[in-house]
């Protein structure tokens, strides 16, 4: 305790410079703790949303045998796309027994009642057509307790019991787990894994950098205390007392800053992700991790940084040459690279691992080992390269810079590590995004949307093919045989399209002439025996907004062969007829409009939004597309973007803090060189080279190890994409940008004024 108090007294009585350093340490710790709190709060936000969704699930109480208790109440939950967002409708038919209302409502909906979420309430005012999907009179707004998040599209619709044919028995609301969680457990594990690499690794480095501000000056002062008789452990405790005081104050400021940011951002929301402010409130474990973990880290860093002054104070006071970095720092790279190279080789040989339990342990371990290896090996590589260049160069600028890096390789570690880890983490995020795209899209070159014609107006049908992103469209209808005879002749599907429309829908189309009717046969999977017989007469019912008609058709004799889209059928018709056979303004009474677009997720969301803009009540059946899954992917991408922003803030802050601190520590050497006649331009060039060279080495290692880790992650993900060559230019551009920023940031650190007082004692 005596040493801790001594450290605090030295902190308050060591002059303005020391107090400024303490303020910088505190602010740095506050930034780090705020970022840490944001990362730790994300699982709590998702858990709070899942808890509210589980509490509103319609359920049926069971007896001892697991059978539903007898009840005349029923409920039916439907999930529909409203644009590219899921809309949930819960139809409730109340019975004779009392049932507690779901969370967010004061009473159970009765027939004719409609309770909607705030966002759906606004949508009903803008889009009158939604009333067809939400019958009844709006009786109230669902409260926050009944919604997962403020922007949820949710509705309770009260209906009579005889109109709810497919409903399930209802006795209460509430299940242990939601039927559709905000983010699936497997996807949430990916988010945790990525955020740990993107944020937590750079955060640990940043907090260590903040705890070691003015390390050289503090080490000299601690060496003086050791020479005055203070014990070795006492010297370490004095230094740890200063760093812990800054960490505790910074942790308190960081938590306060997070709470303020949570209140502001939660009300605005992030793209695709919004939450209630109470969901992001810090929990007791999070507060303890921040208030205890940050000071504990500062304690160990403070003791470690004081070890040199405590063990060999004379060497510190006399500015003895530092020992070269230990080559044991290369050790974490060996197992980390071994794991990722093993997975890459297995993927290249076509033996991708199937045991996900082993991979779920080895991949995070490899990511952590590689991240730690980058940090610990950077001084070793930097010193070796600097020594080799210094021996062979004839340039004064390059020679001065390399000799300084050779003598003080630890300075490169502090300056370059934040940006190096940022580029390394960016590669991991690329791998996660690639895996998510594989999970959420079809293994097909196109995306198909089927829109039923029932209930569609004459104005809507011409508008849908012109939605942005739609590349092709056809109309399908069902025709009945005019004289079925013995009943062996069934209905046929009629395709109304031109040859150009068909050619845009399928992979390959045989010889086709517009204006003629043709029988259709899929070359790969078609069944010639199931085709309608030539000459058979059919009646196609058509309608417009005012009347119904019937168009008489004959099955043609000529066959048109085509190859459909792989993995997803674009056509399922028996006969194609030219649009001229259907009266102008008419459409099939029953059938569907088939649209085609590119399969990438951005285009799919744009097409769904475009269809919703035409009329939100239009039912859309996107082949293989789960709108709920699209929303989950959007949330995950938003969380990853938040992690990248936090990682960028941490990486840049670590660079700025370390570079400024290193420039302050080197003022004496810079002043000595200036008094010896070195020009300011030369000194600035030396400063830039000192920073850029170790940073370039670290970024090259980050790109190589990051791509290896990304590829191995994709191999273990079970997808079809293992190698992401398209992401290499982006990583290289990020690395070059980091070097440019570092070089520009190093230029102002050489001042115009020469202060001989800095070297008076020397």
């Amino acid at each position: 305790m005596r040493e801790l108090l001594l450290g605090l007294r030295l902190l308050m009585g060591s002059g303005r410079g020391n107090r400024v350093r303490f303020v910088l340490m505190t602010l740095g710790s506050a930034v780090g703790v705020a970022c840490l709190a944001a990362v730790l709060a994300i699982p709590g936000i998702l858990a709070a949303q899942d808890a509210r969704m589980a509490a509103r699930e319609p359920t049926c109480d069971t007896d001892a045998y697991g059978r539903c208790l007898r009840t005349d109440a029923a409920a039916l939950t439907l999930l529909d796309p409203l644009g590219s967002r899921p809309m949930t409708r819960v139809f409730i038919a109340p019975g004779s027994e009392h049932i507690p209302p779901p969370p967010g409502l004061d009473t159970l909906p009765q027939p004719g009642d409609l309770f909607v979420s705030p966002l759906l309430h606004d949508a009903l005012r803008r889009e009158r057509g939604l009333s067809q999907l939400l019958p009844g009179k709006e009786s109230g707004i669902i409260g926050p307790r009944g919604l997962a998040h403020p922007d949820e599209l949710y509705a309770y619709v009260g209906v009579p019991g005889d109109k709810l044919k497919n409903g399930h028995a209802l006795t209460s609301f509430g299940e242990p787990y939601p039927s559709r969680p905000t983010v699936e457990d497997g996807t949430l594990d990916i988010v945790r894994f990525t955020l740990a690499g993107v944020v937590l690794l750079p955060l640990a480095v940043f907090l260590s950098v903040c705890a070691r501000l003015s390390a050289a000056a503090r080490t000299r002062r601690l060496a003086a205390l050791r020479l005055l008789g203070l014990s070795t452990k006492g010297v370490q405790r004095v230094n740890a007392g200063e760093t812990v005081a800054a960490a505790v104050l910074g942790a308190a400021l960081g938590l306060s800053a997070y709470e303020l940011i949570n209140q502001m951002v939660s009300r605005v929301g992030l793209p695709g992700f919004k939450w209630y402010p109470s969901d992001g409130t810090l929990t007791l474990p999070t507060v303890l991790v921040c208030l205890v973990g940050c000071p504990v880290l500062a304690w160990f860093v403070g003791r470690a940084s004081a070890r040199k002054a405590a063990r060999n104070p004379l060497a510190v006071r006399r500015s003895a040459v530092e020992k070269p970095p230990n080559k044991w720092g290369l050790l974490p790279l060996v197992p980390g690279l071994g794991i990722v190279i093993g997975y890459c080789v297995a993927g290249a040989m076509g033996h991708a691992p199937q045991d996900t339990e082993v991979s779920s342990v080895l991949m995070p371990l490899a990511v952590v080992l590689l991240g730690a290896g980058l940090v610990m090996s950077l001084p070793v590589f930097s010193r070796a390269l600097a020594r080799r260049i210094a021996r062979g160069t004839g340039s004064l600028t390059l020679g001065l810079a390399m000799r300084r890096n050779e003598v003080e390789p630890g300075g490169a570690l502090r300056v370059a590590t934040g940006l190096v880890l940022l580029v390394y983490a960016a590669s991991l995020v690329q791998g996660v995004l690639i895996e998510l795209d594989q999970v959420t899209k079809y293994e097909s070159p196109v995306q198909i949307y089927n829109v039923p014609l029932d209930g569609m107006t004459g104005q809507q049908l011409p508008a849908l093919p012109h939605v942005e992103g739609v590349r092709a469209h056809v109309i399908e209808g069902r025709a009945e045989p005019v004289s079925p005879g013995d009943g062996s002749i069934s209905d046929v599907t009629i395709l109304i399209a031109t040859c150009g429309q068909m050619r845009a829908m399928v992979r390959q189309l045989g010889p086709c002439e517009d204006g003629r009717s043709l029988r259709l046969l899929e070359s790969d999977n078609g069944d010639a025996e199931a085709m309608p017989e030539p000459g058979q007469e059919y009646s196609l019912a058509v309608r417009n907004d005012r009347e119904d008609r019937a168009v008489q058709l004959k099955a043609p004799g000529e066959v048109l062969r085509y190859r459909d889209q792989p993995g997803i059928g674009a056509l399922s018709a028996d006969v194609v007829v030219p649009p001229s056979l259907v009266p102008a303004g008419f459409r099939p009474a029953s059938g569907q409009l088939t649209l085609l677009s590119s399969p990438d997720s951005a285009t799919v969301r744009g097409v769904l939004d475009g269809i919703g803009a035409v009329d939100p009540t239009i039912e859309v059946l996107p082949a293989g597309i789960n709108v709920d899954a699209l929303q989950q992917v959007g949330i995950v991408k938003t969380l990853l973007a938040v992690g990248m922003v936090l990682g960028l803030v941490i990486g840049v802050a670590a660079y700025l803090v370390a570079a400024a601190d290193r420039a302050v520590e080197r003022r004496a050497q810079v002043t000595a060189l200036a008094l010896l006649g070195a020009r300011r331009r030369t000194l600035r060039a030396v400063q830039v080279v000192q920073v850029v060279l170790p940073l370039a080495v670290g970024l090259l290692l980050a790109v190589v190890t990051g791509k290896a880790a990304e590829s191995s992650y994709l191999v273990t993900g079970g997808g079809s994409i293992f190698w992401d060559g398209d992401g290499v230019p982006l990583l290289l551009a990020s690395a070059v940008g980091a070097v440019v920023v570092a070089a520009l940031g190093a230029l102002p650190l050489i001042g115009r004024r020469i202060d001989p007082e800095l070297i008076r004692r020397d």
Side-chain angles (χ1 to χ4, degrees):
M1 182 60 69
R2 180 171 61 90
E3 290 85 359
L4 294 177
L5 293 177
L6 177 59
L8 295 178
R9 291 182 64 183
L10 289 174
L11 174 64
M12 302 305 298
S14 298
R16 185 180 64 178
N18 199 51
R19 288 193 291 271
V20 171
R21 175 184 59 80
F22 178 78
V23 171
L24 291 177
M25 290 174 60
T26 302
L27 293 178
S29 299
V31 172
V33 169
C35 294
L36 177 61
V39 173
L40 296 179
I42 289 175
I45 293 174
L46 298 177
Q49 294 183 357
D50 288 345
R52 286 194 295 272
M53 287 191 290
R56 72 189 183 192
E57 289 283 344
T59 185
C60 175
D61 296 333
T62 58
D63 56 18
Y65 299 97
R67 296 172 299 189
C68 280
L69 300 178
R70 295 189 61 182
T71 177
D72 54 355
L76 176 64
T77 302
L78 297 178
L79 183 68
D80 306 287
L82 185 60
S84 62
R85 303 183 59 184
M87 178 181 65
T88 305
R89 297 177 293 161
V90 181
F91 293 88
I92 297 177
S96 57
E97 299 180 2
H98 172 72
I99 298 177
L105 297 184
D106 296 328
T107 59
L108 190 71
Q110 300 298 313
D113 289 342
L114 174 64
F115 294 89
V116 294
S117 63
L119 189 63
L120 197 51
H121 168 78
D122 296 337
L124 275 170
R125 290 188 172 184
R126 295 192 309 268
E127 305 290 347
R128 297 296 181 182
L130 271 176
S131 58
Q132 300 179 29
L133 295 178
L134 302 169
K137 180 181 179 181
E138 187 174 326
S139 303
I141 303 295
I142 303 174
R145 291 180 55 248
L147 299 175
H149 53 84
D151 283 351
E152 189 175 20
L153 298 171
Y154 206 86
Y156 290 102
V157 183
V159 295
D162 57 349
K163 292 189 176 181
L164 199 61
K165 299 179 181 179
N166 299 322
H168 304 282
L170 172 67
T171 59
S172 61
F173 292 88
E175 290 282 358
Y177 305 100
S179 58
R180 293 185 298 270
T182 306
V183 179
E184 297 288 346
D185 291 339
T187 308
L188 188 57
D189 291 337
I190 296 175
V191 174
R192 294 192 185 103
F193 161 74
T194 308
L195 291 181
V198 173
V199 180
L200 297 185
L201 275 178
L203 180 60
V205 173
F206 175 59
L207 292 177
S208 300
V209 168
C210 292
R212 294 196 63 190
L213 280 175
S214 300
R218 292 163 65 191
T219 301
R220 290 174 62 87
R221 189 181 63 193
L222 293 172
L225 292 176
R226 179 72 179 96
L227 292 174
L228 290 174
L230 196 62
S231 65
T232 301
K233 292 185 178 179
V235 170
Q236 293 178 328
R237 293 187 186 123
V238 168
N239 191 49
E242 294 185 57
T243 56
V244 168
V248 170
L249 184 56
L253 291 176
L255 293 177
S256 302
Y258 166 77
E259 284 289 356
L260 180 61
I261 294 173
N262 174 57
Q263 293 294 326
M264 293 188 299
V265 176
S266 62
R267 286 171 169 78
V268 178
L270 299 172
F273 185 50
K274 198 171 183 180
W275 67 96
Y276 291 107
S278 58
D279 294 346
T281 301
L282 293 172
T283 60
L284 181 59
T286 300
V287 173
L288 291 178
V289 168
C290 295
L291 289 180
V292 176
C294 185
V296 168
L297 177 63
W299 170 268
F300 284 106
V301 172
R303 286 179 59 89
S305 60
R307 186 178 297 117
K308 179 181 178 181
R311 293 181 176 178
N312 196 353
L314 286 176
V316 172
R317 294 301 298 177
R318 294 173 180 174
S319 301
V321 178
E322 294 185 7
K323 292 182 179 180
N326 199 322
K327 293 185 178 180
W328 285 106
L330 301 175
L331 184 60
L333 282 178
V334 177
L337 285 175
I339 294 173
V340 298
I341 291 176
Y343 278 129
C344 290
V345 171
M349 297 180 64
H351 301 291
Q354 303 296 326
D355 192 346
T356 56
E357 293 183 359
V358 175
S359 299
S360 63
V361 175
L362 289 181
M363 271 311 303
L365 179 62
V367 169
V368 173
L369 289 174
L370 286 176
L374 285 175
V375 175
M376 299 175 66
S377 62
L378 189 56
V380 179
F381 290 123
S382 176
R383 182 180 183 276
L385 182 62
R387 189 175 185 180
R388 180 177 295 273
I389 294 177
R391 287 178 176 177
T393 184
S395 169
L396 174 63
T397 300
L398 194 58
L400 286 175
M402 294 302 99
R403 288 304 182 187
R404 172 52 59 182
N405 282 348
E406 180 185 358
V407 172
E408 190 190 0
L413 173 66
R414 286 189 291 157
V415 174
T417 300
L419 297 178
V420 167
L421 286 180
L422 182 62
V423 173
Y424 171 69
S427 185
L428 295 178
V429 173
Q430 277 192 153
V432 174
L433 293 178
I434 291 172
E435 184 185 27
L436 290 176
D437 286 339
Q438 291 186 85
V439 170
T440 56
K441 75 177 182 180
Y442 252 143
E443 296 296 331
S444 174
V446 297
Q447 176 60 52
I448 301 298
Y449 313 82
N450 295 319
V451 184
L453 297 176
D454 295 340
M456 190 178 297
T457 65
Q459 295 179 345
Q460 295 169 349
L461 183 59
L464 292 179
H466 298 288
V467 169
E468 185 177 359
V470 173
R471 298 193 326 212
H473 73 283
V474 294
I475 298 176
E476 296 181 8
R478 182 157 292 278
E480 298 179 352
V482 174
S483 54
D486 59 357
S488 60
I489 302 176
S490 60
D491 297 349
V492 297
T493 303
I494 304 296
L495 185 69
I496 304 172
T498 64
C499 294
Q501 289 175 323
M502 290 188 60
R503 191 168 285 108
M505 292 289 294
V506 297
R507 278 191 300 166
Q508 184 179 348
L509 186 69
C512 179
E513 182 180 346
D514 283 326
R516 301 177 58 186
S517 298
L518 301 168
R519 290 188 296 170
L520 293 175
L521 180 62
E522 214 281 320
S523 300
D524 295 332
N525 302 312
D527 184 5
E529 296 182 358
M531 299 177 65
E533 295 184 3
Q536 177 66 39
E537 295 184 354
Y538 293 90
S539 176
L540 175 65
V542 296
R543 67 173 54 167
N544 59 15
D545 295 340
R546 296 182 301 273
E547 62 176 316
D548 295 339
R549 292 185 185 179
V551 177
Q552 304 300 319
L553 303 171
K554 283 187 178 181
E558 189 175 351
V559 176
L560 174 62
R561 296 179 178 271
Y562 68 96
R563 291 186 183 277
D564 214 336
Q565 299 291 348
I568 175 173
L571 301 181
S572 59
D574 302 308
V575 176
V576 58
V577 299
S580 58
L581 291 183
V582 179
F586 282 78
R587 60 189 181 278
S590 64
Q592 65 183 16
L593 170 68
T594 302
L595 306 174
L596 179 145
S597 78
S598 172
D600 64 276
S601 57
T603 302
V604 171
R605 284 194 296 269
V607 171
L608 291 175
D609 284 336
I611 296 175
V614 174
D615 189 342
T617 64
I618 293 178
E619 182 182 5
V620 186
L621 304 174
I625 293 296
N626 187 336
V627 181
D628 197 26
L630 278 178
Q631 186 183 42
Q632 288 195 31
V633 171
I635 292 174
V636 171
K637 289 184 177 181
T638 298
L639 295 179
L640 293 181
V642 170
M644 282 301 298
V645 170
L646 293 178
L648 179 63
V649 170
I650 294 170
V652 173
Y655 165 73
L656 294 176
V657 170
D661 181 57
R662 189 165 183 257
V664 172
E665 287 184 350
R666 292 197 61 248
R667 286 183 302 173
Q669 291 88 351
V670 171
T671 301
L673 291 173
L675 292 176
L676 290 174
R679 292 180 297 179
R680 186 179 300 108
R681 184 175 60 184
T682 302
L683 294 177
R684 286 182 175 175
V686 170
Q687 181 70 17
V688 170
V689 173
Q690 284 180 234
V691 173
V692 166
L693 183 65
L695 179 60
V697 173
L699 291 176
L700 180 61
L701 288 174
V703 171
V704 173
T705 57
K707 291 303 299 181
E710 174 195 346
S711 299
S712 61
Y713 174 79
L714 292 175
V715 168
T716 60
S720 58
I721 298 177
F722 292 167
W723 325 111
D724 175 33
D726 296 338
V728 174
L730 178 60
L731 282 180
L732 293 178
S734 302
V736 172
V739 171
V740 172
V741 170
L744 294 177
L747 289 175
L749 299 180
I750 302 299
R752 293 179 176 274
R753 179 173 173 268
I754 298 176
D755 186 6
E757 181 67 19
L758 294 172
I759 59 173
R760 179 178 60 85
R761 295 178 181 178
D762 294 337

